[in-house]
Each structure stands twice: as structure tokens, then as C-alpha cells.
Amino acid sequence: DYTFPADPHEAVESDFAALDALYAGRKAYYGDFHAHSNSGGTSDGHTTPEAWLEAMPALHMDFIGLMDHRQERHMYLDSFDSDHFIYGSEPAGLWLEPELDCHYLMLFQDRGGLERVLNRFPDVFEFEGGTEGHFKYIRIERDRFLQVRDAVLEEGGAFVNAHPKQQIQSEDLADFYFGDGTAIEVIYTCKYD
């Protein structure tokens, strides 16, 4: 099991007027695909799902992806509002060759997609199932990792290299490119003291 350093995410106020102008006559949805919650279990966020829902109007947010680490527990809570929260998790990719580590997001349209992927790869996640839904991170071959990516895409999900700036340990950017149909987080609003 591997533990990464604390994540310094912080919400910042932004002026979306220019973006709104691009969507004149259409509805633009604003949100964050990569947030965490304080939902018990192995969650490592500071904000409860209830507090996220309460804060969303003031933040002008329509949706939030709660991507808690090592679990799917947050998706079974009564406070998980599928109209405002995106189903998913943020596992760690631990590769044997090259020996690199990263975090990635698996986002789904329903919680069943995540469960099916976790169950399909017992050698990767050691998924315990159930409403607690804990799993581990296992060091695997990069090819096996890419099979997980393919399974997420087959489920209609999204696969994202989360915060690569914090994880890049190689001079070869191809080591952190997960293939067609995947994304890399590129917008950062972190504030460091």
C-alpha cells in the first residue's frame, strides 16, 4: 500500500464572464471533476458531501466529482446526490517497469461502472466490495494498467491522469500519456504558502 503526500487543492474565486460569452444562448455547466470528501472510511478530504452540496451555489458549481482514494464508500451514502456528484475514484498507478507512480481518476455515469472495473481486476485493486468498497494499490506492469484504462473507457467512463505536475518522475512525457481517449489535468489553482 502506498501513501502520497497531502493534496493542496483549494477552491478559488474566478470570473467566468469570458467563458459564459462563448456559450451565449446555451447552458454552461461549471464544476470540478477532481475533489475529495470527508465521508469516512479511507477518504482523505476535509469537506463532507453535505457541506459540498451546501457550498455549491455560492461557488457557482453545478457538479463535483468526489474522487476519494481507496474506496467507493462515498457513493453509497445518503448524502451522495447523483444530480450533483460524479461517480468515481482516484486510485494510484504503481508500475513495475518503468518504476513510476501516479494518481489517476476513473469517472463513471453510475456507480456500477466503477464496481465492474474494480471487480474485473482483482490483481490490481484487491477490491473488497460492498457499501464500504475499500481497495488497495498493487504495483503492476504498465500493460496491465492500460487494460484497466481500456475497461474504464469500455464502461463509457473517463480516465484522467490526475495532477501530473506533482507526480512526474520521468523526463519522457510519454510515460504519463495513457493513450487516446484519456485526459491529463492541466489547470492548477493551487496556492502554496
Coordinates of all heavy atoms in Angstrom, one line a residue, residues 120-124 140-149:
R120 N -13.3 -6.6 -12.0 CA -12.7 -7.2 -13.1 C -11.2 -7.3 -13.0 O -10.6 -8.2 -13.6 CB -13.0 -6.3 -14.4 CG -12.6 -6.9 -15.7 CD -13.1 -6.1 -16.8 NE -12.4 -6.4 -18.0 CZ -12.6 -5.7 -19.2 NH1 -13.6 -4.8 -19.2 NH2 -11.9 -6.0 -20.2
F121 N -10.6 -6.6 -12.1 CA -9.1 -6.6 -11.9 C -8.8 -6.8 -10.4 O -8.2 -6.0 -9.8 CB -8.6 -5.2 -12.4 CG -8.7 -5.0 -13.8 CD1 -9.8 -4.3 -14.3 CD2 -7.8 -5.5 -14.7 CE1 -10.0 -4.1 -15.6 CE2 -8.0 -5.2 -16.1 CZ -9.1 -4.6 -16.5
P122 N -9.0 -8.0 -9.9 CA -8.7 -8.3 -8.5 C -7.2 -8.3 -8.2 O -6.8 -8.0 -7.1 CB -9.3 -9.7 -8.3 CG -9.4 -10.3 -9.6 CD -9.7 -9.2 -10.6
D123 N -6.4 -8.5 -9.2 CA -5.0 -8.5 -9.1 C -4.4 -7.1 -9.0 O -3.3 -6.8 -8.6 CB -4.3 -9.3 -10.2 CG -4.6 -8.7 -11.6 OD1 -5.8 -8.4 -11.8 OD2 -3.7 -8.5 -12.4
V124 N -5.2 -6.1 -9.4 CA -4.8 -4.7 -9.4 C -5.3 -4.0 -8.2 O -4.6 -3.1 -7.6 CB -5.3 -4.0 -10.7 CG1 -5.0 -2.5 -10.7 CG2 -4.7 -4.7 -11.9
I140 N 2.0 -3.0 -10.5 CA 1.7 -3.9 -11.6 C 2.5 -3.5 -12.8 O 3.1 -2.4 -12.9 CB 0.2 -3.8 -12.0 CG1 -0.3 -2.4 -12.3 CG2 -0.7 -4.4 -10.8 CD1 -1.7 -2.2 -12.8
E141 N 2.4 -4.3 -13.9 CA 3.0 -4.0 -15.1 C 2.2 -2.9 -15.8 O 1.0 -2.8 -15.7 CB 3.1 -5.2 -16.1 CG 4.0 -6.3 -15.6 CD 5.4 -6.0 -15.6 OE1 5.9 -5.1 -16.3 OE2 6.2 -6.6 -14.8
R142 N 2.9 -2.0 -16.5 CA 2.2 -0.9 -17.2 C 1.2 -1.4 -18.2 O 0.1 -0.8 -18.3 CB 3.2 0.0 -18.0 CG 2.6 1.2 -18.7 CD 3.7 2.0 -19.3 NE 3.1 3.0 -20.2 CZ 2.6 4.2 -19.9 NH1 2.6 4.5 -18.6 NH2 2.1 5.0 -20.8
D143 N 1.4 -2.5 -18.9 CA 0.4 -3.1 -19.8 C -0.9 -3.4 -19.1 O -2.0 -3.3 -19.6 CB 1.0 -4.3 -20.5 CG 2.0 -4.0 -21.6 OD1 2.1 -2.8 -21.9 OD2 2.7 -4.9 -22.0
R144 N -0.8 -4.0 -17.8 CA -2.0 -4.3 -17.1 C -2.7 -3.0 -16.7 O -4.0 -3.0 -16.7 CB -1.6 -5.1 -15.8 CG -2.8 -5.6 -15.0 CD -3.5 -6.7 -15.8 NE -4.5 -7.4 -15.0 CZ -5.6 -7.9 -15.4 NH1 -5.9 -7.9 -16.7 NH2 -6.5 -8.5 -14.6
F145 N -2.0 -2.0 -16.3 CA -2.6 -0.7 -16.0 C -3.4 -0.2 -17.2 O -4.5 0.3 -17.1 CB -1.4 0.3 -15.7 CG -1.9 1.7 -15.5 CD1 -2.5 2.2 -14.4 CD2 -1.6 2.6 -16.6 CE1 -2.9 3.5 -14.3 CE2 -2.0 3.9 -16.5 CZ -2.6 4.4 -15.3
L146 N -2.8 -0.3 -18.4 CA -3.5 0.1 -19.6 C -4.8 -0.7 -19.9 O -5.7 -0.2 -20.5 CB -2.6 0.1 -20.8 CG -1.4 1.1 -20.7 CD1 -0.4 1.0 -21.9 CD2 -1.9 2.6 -20.5
Q147 N -4.8 -1.9 -19.5 CA -6.0 -2.8 -19.6 C -7.1 -2.2 -18.7 O -8.3 -2.2 -19.0 CB -5.7 -4.2 -19.2 CG -4.9 -4.9 -20.2 CD -4.4 -6.3 -19.8 OE1 -4.8 -6.8 -18.7 NE2 -3.6 -6.9 -20.6
V148 N -6.7 -1.7 -17.5 CA -7.7 -1.0 -16.6 C -8.2 0.2 -17.3 O -9.5 0.4 -17.4 CB -7.0 -0.6 -15.3 CG1 -8.0 0.3 -14.5 CG2 -6.6 -1.8 -14.5
R149 N -7.4 1.0 -17.9 CA -7.8 2.2 -18.7 C -8.8 1.8 -19.8 O -9.9 2.4 -19.9 CB -6.6 2.8 -19.4 CG -7.0 4.0 -20.3 CD -6.1 4.1 -21.5 NE -6.0 2.9 -22.3 CZ -5.0 2.7 -23.1 NH1 -4.0 3.5 -23.3 NH2 -4.9 1.6 -23.8

